[in-house]
Amino acid sequence: MMTNMTAPIIFKSEDLPEQGKGLRFALPALGEFASGFVVRFHGKAYAYVNQCAHLAVELDWNEGDFFTAQKEHLICATHGAHYRPDNGFCVMGPCKGKSLRAIPLTEHNQEIIIDATAIINPNL
Ligand code: FES
């Protein structure tokens, strides 16, 4: 079946600094104001739905600020849940043990290509 709800989302690799500001993107398949984000951690890019596993709020209070001050975890600005950047697992906070929803991506030829179609697949 062909659906064209979400074209691939493409960023330049050089625009995603190591353990720096994340890049946000719209996820209309999940709702009018839904967003996702991608960060780089230990050289690899990781994308997640921008929604805390505690309450349905975005993680970044300041746009693109997803890392803690120590840069080892992603943090929810609302109640401080800490997530592992490499798998979205919540290691500390009110949603400990839960996870962010990961979004598949590939990175090659200096481009990050995010496959947002995968998040509307209920099997994910
Ligand atoms: S809403 Fe994210 S920790 Fe509570």
Side-chain angles (χ1 to χ4, degrees), residues 49-60 76-79:
V49 176
N50 191 7
Q51 188 176 87
C52 187
H54 179 215
L55 302 173
V57 301
E58 295 186 337
L59 300 182
D60 56 331
C76 173
T78 302
H79 305 119

Side-chain angles (χ1 to χ4, degrees), residues 27-98:
L27 284 177
L30 293 186
E32 192 178 352
F33 301 109
S35 68
F37 66 96
V38 58
V39 292
R40 189 179 300 286
F41 184 70
H42 295 174
K44 271 193 77 175
Y46 297 92
Y48 298 100
V49 176
N50 191 7
Q51 188 176 87
C52 187
H54 179 215
L55 302 173
V57 301
E58 295 186 337
L59 300 182
D60 56 331
W61 223 330
N62 292 317
E63 186 166 325
D65 280 346
F66 294 99
F67 279 104
T68 57
Q70 294 76 27
K71 309 289 186 195
E72 287 302 318
H73 292 99
L74 307 176
I75 184 169
C76 173
T78 302
H79 305 119
H82 282 45
Y83 297 93
R84 280 182 54 168
D86 58 348
N87 64 9
F89 188 73
C90 181
V91 294
M92 191 176 100
C95 44
K96 189 173 176 184
K98 295 185 179 175

Side-chain angles (χ1 to χ4, degrees), residues 4 16 21-22 25 46 59-60 78 80 82 92 105 110-111:
N4 195 20
L16 190 64
K21 281 240 181 208
F25 48 89
Y46 297 92
L59 300 182
D60 56 331
T78 302
H82 282 45
M92 191 176 100
L105 61 78
Q110 296 304 305
E111 279 187 341

